[in-house]
Amino acid sequence: MSRSTPNSRLVIRNVSVFDGLSDTATDARDVLIEGDRIAAVSQSPIGDAPGTDTVEIDGGGRFLMPGLTDAHVHLMGNANSYLDFVMGATGLLVANTLAEAKRMLYRGFTSVRDMGGDTAPLKTVIDRGDFEGPRIFPSQAMISQTSGHGDFAFVYETPYAFGGGPSRTDSIGFTRTVDGVERVLTAVREQLRKGASQIKLTIGGGAASMYDPLYTLQFTPDEMRAAVNAAEDYGTYVATHVYTVPGIRRAIEAGVRSIEHGHLADESTVALIGEKGIWLSMQPFAEDDHHYPDPDRAEKNRQICHGTEDVYSWAKKYGVKVAFGTDLLLEPQSAARQSVMAARMGEFYSNAESLRMLTSGNAELFEMAGDRNPYGAARLGVVAPDAWADVLLVDGNPLDDLSVLSDPDTNLKLIIKGGQIFKNTL
């Protein structure tokens, strides 16, 4: 293991380059990294720079690609169990989250969009170099109505509107439970004040939540439009947790620009998503990705997973912009399935399509945050001059066999983020 500084000049020699955009990888190339950016991708050997120290790595003909991305993570939720949330000390929650951020980077995920949790402070210390982890596009607290998908209050607790206090998950910034246009506006603006790059609303039922069947519609059209307007006033957008046709169509009418999940959509609704140019940020769920001992939640999970294959098929048919995400939550022991789920995309798309989605495709969605994009100074998800120097060197060719990504400990030989070497086992 070695660490370079972002000010080093680094040459990775003799690598086959997948640029994040193409169907194929190039023959042997040299890749030059200067500081935190890619400076050149050259078919000819890159020489020394007199007076400048150069670190050289022989790639041995291996596969070099952009860092992986995940469009739907919950770093805090991924790192902590339900009992951690309701009984653990706040310091433990934060420490667990920092530890998971490091593990996520070492799985090769160099940029993620966090869809619920107080991760802007985490982003700050990672970007500062104090801790290891991916680039983070934080949504801050996921905003829910009372008795909605993000309401983790106990039944006996009094709601805000009746004079009650915050639930445990509200108090630590994982959720924000509000009702009515005025409070929705305040909640959106609060997350923007705390550093959100985009806004997350939960507008339908889910498997992990306690009170809401999948069929429920959450937040009125007026509440949703208020959130959309407040986000647009800050140059960004709203993404919504929702599975069902009525919920998706209500979100589209309100101006939402990213549908999170959507597994219970029908063909005409998927076609509408494509027609409107809205993103479908979906997850290749299988039933064993989550474990619900409660029969009702297990049944909801089964229904969600059952819709996965059809929705991907329709999305391809209608040219929908699809992002890859994982949405692993409240089961820290399952966090490493992130890599397995990335490789699983090959069951629904070609390997090249999957790799593009895992790199430049997700990056296009991230960049929809506009001026709220914290990494807008350079491109993400590509191997090209002037892009962020976030690259992986893989032992194996994911264009031939996507499953090599499912074992990052063995197959990721080099992990670089922002020009800094985090892993080098060559």
Side-chain angles (χ1 to χ4, degrees):
M1 189 77 62
S2 64
R3 292 282 294 274
S4 68
T5 69
N7 295 319
S8 298
R9 184 176 187 269
L10 172 63
V11 179
I12 308 172
R13 300 197 184 280
N14 186 25
V15 289
S16 175
V17 177
F18 171 71
D19 63 6
L21 300 166
S22 306
D23 287 332
T24 59
T26 66
D27 293 332
R29 295 288 191 274
D30 282 5
V31 176
L32 172 63
I33 294 173
E34 293 180 339
D36 55 11
R37 314 287 177 88
I38 295 171
V41 179
S42 175
Q43 191 170 5
S44 303
I46 292 172
D48 294 332
T52 302
D53 290 335
T54 299
V55 176
E56 293 193 12
I57 296 175
D58 182 1
R62 292 180 177 84
F63 188 94
L64 185 136
M65 61 176 287
L68 296 168
T69 66
D70 190 326
H72 195 120
V73 302
H74 294 279
L75 272 164
M76 181 175 280
N78 211 8
N80 294 282
S81 69
Y82 178 72
L83 285 180
D84 290 331
F85 272 115
V86 298
M87 298 180 64
T90 303
L92 177 64
L93 297 175
V94 174
N96 286 344
T97 305
L98 281 168
E100 174 56 24
K102 178 178 179 178
R103 289 190 291 267
M104 197 171 284
L105 175 63
Y106 281 76
R107 291 195 286 270
F109 289 87
T110 55
S111 295
V112 300
R113 191 177 61 144
D114 191 275
M115 300 309 289
D118 187 18
T119 54
L122 181 70
K123 171 192 173 299
T124 296
V125 296
I126 290 173
D127 288 350
R128 202 164 59 199
D130 297 336
F131 292 90
E132 298 178 348
R135 302 180 191 272
I136 300 173
F137 288 75
S139 301
Q140 290 303 101
M142 51 181 169
I143 302 171
S144 170
Q145 70 171 40
T146 299
S147 196
H149 178 65
D151 183 0
F152 286 87
F154 295 113
V155 172
Y156 55 78
E157 293 183 285
T158 303
Y160 282 120
F162 300 148
S167 68
R168 171 63 170 156
T169 56
D170 275 24
S171 69
I172 60 174
F174 186 66
T175 57
R176 172 60 77 193
T177 308
V178 292
D179 300 285
V181 167
E182 289 188 6
R183 291 201 174 194
V184 168
L185 282 172
T186 302
V188 170
R189 291 165 179 163
E190 176 190 32
Q191 307 324 308
L192 293 167
R193 184 181 69 185
K194 289 183 174 182
S197 54
Q198 63 283 319
I199 296 298
K200 164 78 174 296
L201 293 185
T202 63
I203 67 165
S209 42
M210 297 185 285
Y211 309 120
D212 52 344
L214 291 174
Y215 65 79
T216 56
L217 289 169
Q218 299 170 20
F219 285 125
T220 66
D222 286 344
E223 288 171 323
M224 273 193 271
R225 279 190 289 268
V228 167
N229 291 339
E232 288 179 347
D233 285 347
Y234 268 70
T236 189
Y237 66 97
V238 169
T240 53
H241 161 104
V242 63
Y243 289 105
T244 64
V245 168
I248 294 169
R249 289 181 175 268
R250 179 179 284 192
I252 292 172
E253 291 170 2
V256 165
R257 296 176 65 193
S258 179
I259 301 298
E260 306 298 312
H261 314 314
H263 293 68
L264 301 181
D266 59 17
E267 184 172 358
S268 64
T269 301
V270 174
L272 180 63
I273 293 171
E275 176 188 329
K276 298 291 186 180
I278 294 166
W279 279 88
L280 178 61
S281 173
M282 198 169 156
Q283 303 75 39
F285 284 147
E287 285 191 53
D288 60 353
D289 289 330
H290 299 90
H291 304 92
Y292 297 107
D294 175 68
D296 289 340
R297 294 189 200 179
E299 174 57 21
K300 289 195 287 185
N301 181 57
R302 188 198 65 77
Q303 291 179 42
I304 290 165
C305 295
H306 185 72
T308 302
E309 185 173 356
D310 282 343
V311 174
Y312 276 133
S313 175
W314 295 326
K316 289 165 60 176
K317 179 178 179 179
Y318 294 104
V320 176
K321 295 183 293 187
V322 178
F324 163 81
T326 50
D327 193 34
L328 296 167
L329 188 65
L330 303 179
E331 296 179 4
Q333 70 276 12
S334 298
R337 293 188 72 84
Q338 183 180 37
S339 299
V340 174
M341 292 176 73
R344 193 184 297 154
M345 288 307 302
E347 297 178 16
F348 308 102
Y349 289 84
S350 72
N351 291 348
E353 290 170 329
S354 300
L355 281 184
R356 287 197 297 271
M357 190 184 300
L358 287 160
T359 54
S360 64
N362 275 0
E364 184 182 347
L365 170 58
F366 298 170
E367 290 160 1
M368 201 165 68
D371 290 339
R372 303 291 294 182
N373 176 0
Y375 308 108
R379 294 179 69 187
L380 286 170
V382 296
V383 177
D386 298 323
W388 292 114
D390 301 349
V391 298
L392 310 175
L393 193 60
V394 185
D395 204 2
N397 186 338
L399 288 171
D400 295 334
D401 179 9
L402 204 61
S403 70
V404 299
L405 298 180
S406 67
D407 186 2
D409 288 347
T410 302
N411 296 326
L412 296 188
K413 300 301 183 183
L414 183 68
I415 298 174
I416 296 174
K417 189 195 81 172
Q420 211 168 359
I421 299 172
F422 288 89
K423 176 183 179 181
N424 182 8
T425 60
L426 294 177

